[in-house]
Amino acid sequence: MKQRSIGRSGLAVGALGLGCMGMSEFYGPTDEAQSLDTLAHALDRGVTLFDTADAYGFGHNEELLGRFAKGQRDRLTIATKFGLVRKPGAYERRVDNSPAYIRSACEASLKRLGVDTIDLYYAHRLNLETPLEDSIGALGELVEAGKIRAIGLSEVSADTLRRAAAIHPIAAVQSEYSLWTRDPEQGVLQACREVGAAFCAYSPLGRGFLTGQVASDTLDAKDFRRQNPRFADENAQQNQRIVDTVKSLAAEKGCTPAQLALAWLLAQGDDVIPIPGTKRIAYLDDNLGALDVALSADDLARIGAALPPGIAAGGRYTEEGMKGLNA
């Protein structure tokens, strides 16, 4: 698989990464054996960036990835996150970026992952209570101590990214980016290029909606998408036109909707690394097929015109989920 650099960190990863969140929570029933098989298949296919967070499954996701990494740590680039503090059994959360919390969260993640160093450590969300100088300073100390290799920020504004990069090099920004979420184009992508940070695109398939394989009324009762505004009945009906357009464009290119959506993201720049999440090998293989889809300048212009920014109906998250976004 072609490699892409994570900013100026010296880390290079496969052009498509793997989001591991759904292997522990949020997207219906989970199966550890199935997830471990998918992780192994991903690594065999050339995926090297594996993305998790301490908040996914209240630590379970890191433990799962840690079990997989055992004995082959040098083959994986592990990204994890801190800062979202959740209440057990609830979606409710608070954001903590205090230096003391950062240090304790890092130690806990290292233990769950079973590693000595985290390759890419993200602030999952930022709040306005802790001075940026304090939180970035604490992360810089973790770099100096060898606990982490590179610093990342998630869902930050362009101004915050520039301020953070003036304190310590930022290797990557992770935010939602897809054919129905074009927000990063409003300044964050430009700021990433100014400071030399890669952009890791999460939910590049619109939480599965863009594949045409997800219908709100068929989701598991505990699937968090049931509460997501874009999956709500009226919004979902309006957003179906986006899926229909993606399907039509994909048919013209002779690929699947998922492959078209990911190929479009890959074509946005060599510094963009999509991290589609899945717990199934079949979906993983479908996603990896995007690497073989070539989009011309005309193709990209046509796709962009058919699916302009702001086309999606409904917000990206509920009000609770919006805490700390674009701080």
Side-chain angles (χ1 to χ4, degrees):
M1 188 185 300
K2 290 183 179 179
Q3 302 288 291
R4 295 193 168 185
S5 297
I6 299 181
R8 298 167 183 161
S9 67
L11 298 168
V13 297
L16 276 181
L18 178 63
C20 301
M21 181 182 77
M23 296 178 177
S24 296
E25 196 180 8
F26 295 114
Y27 293 120
T30 60
D31 182 323
E32 286 199 4
Q34 178 190 58
S35 294
L36 289 168
D37 286 345
T38 300
L39 289 167
H41 188 72
L43 191 59
D44 288 343
R45 289 290 311 272
V47 174
T48 55
L49 176 60
F50 294 83
D51 186 88
T52 182
D54 61 2
Y56 300 161
F58 297 94
H60 173 271
N61 204 238
E62 289 182 328
E63 292 171 351
L64 178 71
L65 186 56
R67 291 202 300 277
F68 172 69
K70 190 174 182 179
Q72 53 185 357
R73 171 68 180 93
D74 59 345
R75 299 180 64 195
L76 284 71
T77 297
I78 296 176
T80 192
K81 312 175 196 72
F82 73 89
L84 281 184
V85 185
R86 299 174 56 204
K87 288 187 175 182
Y91 186 65
E92 183 181 350
R93 74 277 301 276
R94 64 181 175 86
V95 179
D96 194 336
N97 305 141
S98 66
Y101 182 78
I102 290 172
R103 289 188 288 268
S104 65
C106 181
E107 291 297 337
S109 288
L110 287 168
K111 183 177 181 179
R112 284 189 292 265
L113 289 163
V115 300
D116 297 322
T117 305
I118 295 166
D119 297 307
L120 178 58
Y121 199 41
Y122 287 102
H124 207 157
R125 296 290 187 269
L126 292 179
N127 60 36
L128 301 178
E129 298 172 3
T130 302
L132 191 62
E133 292 77 9
D134 291 353
S135 53
I136 300 300
L139 288 166
E141 291 173 1
L142 291 176
V143 174
E144 292 177 5
K147 302 287 186 180
I148 67 176
R149 290 193 171 90
I151 299 171
L153 299 174
S154 180
E155 291 285 3
V156 294
S157 67
D159 287 344
T160 297
L161 172 57
R162 293 187 182 99
R163 286 176 53 215
I167 301 167
H168 190 284
I170 303 299
V173 168
Q174 182 178 135
S175 293
E176 185 174 352
Y177 188 26
S178 69
L179 282 171
W180 79 347
T181 299
R182 305 276 293 276
D183 305 29
E185 296 172 2
Q186 298 173 10
V188 173
L189 279 174
Q190 179 183 344
C192 283
R193 287 157 185 162
E194 289 175 13
V195 305
F199 186 93
C200 293
Y202 79 80
S203 293
L205 299 175
R207 309 187 191 283
F209 199 84
L210 297 177
T211 68
Q213 302 297 314
V214 175
S216 300
D217 57 0
T218 64
L219 294 175
D220 182 82
K222 294 184 178 181
D223 194 308
F224 100 108
R225 287 172 292 188
R226 282 188 171 273
Q227 282 73 51
N228 186 284
R230 291 188 178 177
F231 287 79
D233 291 341
E234 184 175 334
N235 289 336
Q237 291 174 15
Q238 292 186 53
N239 289 330
Q240 183 59 44
R241 72 192 191 285
I242 300 174
V243 177
D244 294 341
T245 299
V246 174
K247 283 182 175 179
S248 176
L249 292 166
E252 292 179 17
K253 292 298 296 183
C255 65
T256 67
Q259 289 167 359
L260 183 93
L262 292 172
W264 177 84
L265 267 176
L266 289 164
Q268 300 311 301
D270 289 340
D271 52 353
V272 176
I273 305 169
I275 50 170
T278 184
K279 50 194 173 186
R280 297 178 176 84
I281 288 176
Y283 292 162
L284 173 67
D285 283 336
D286 185 29
N287 293 343
L288 291 174
L291 296 165
D292 299 320
V293 177
L295 297 178
S296 67
D298 286 345
D299 290 332
L300 293 171
R302 187 155 178 255
I303 293 169
L307 299 164
I311 193 172
R316 294 201 282 132
Y317 288 97
T318 61
E319 183 177 351
E320 184 68 22
M322 292 297 289
K323 286 183 177 178
L325 262 71
N326 301 313

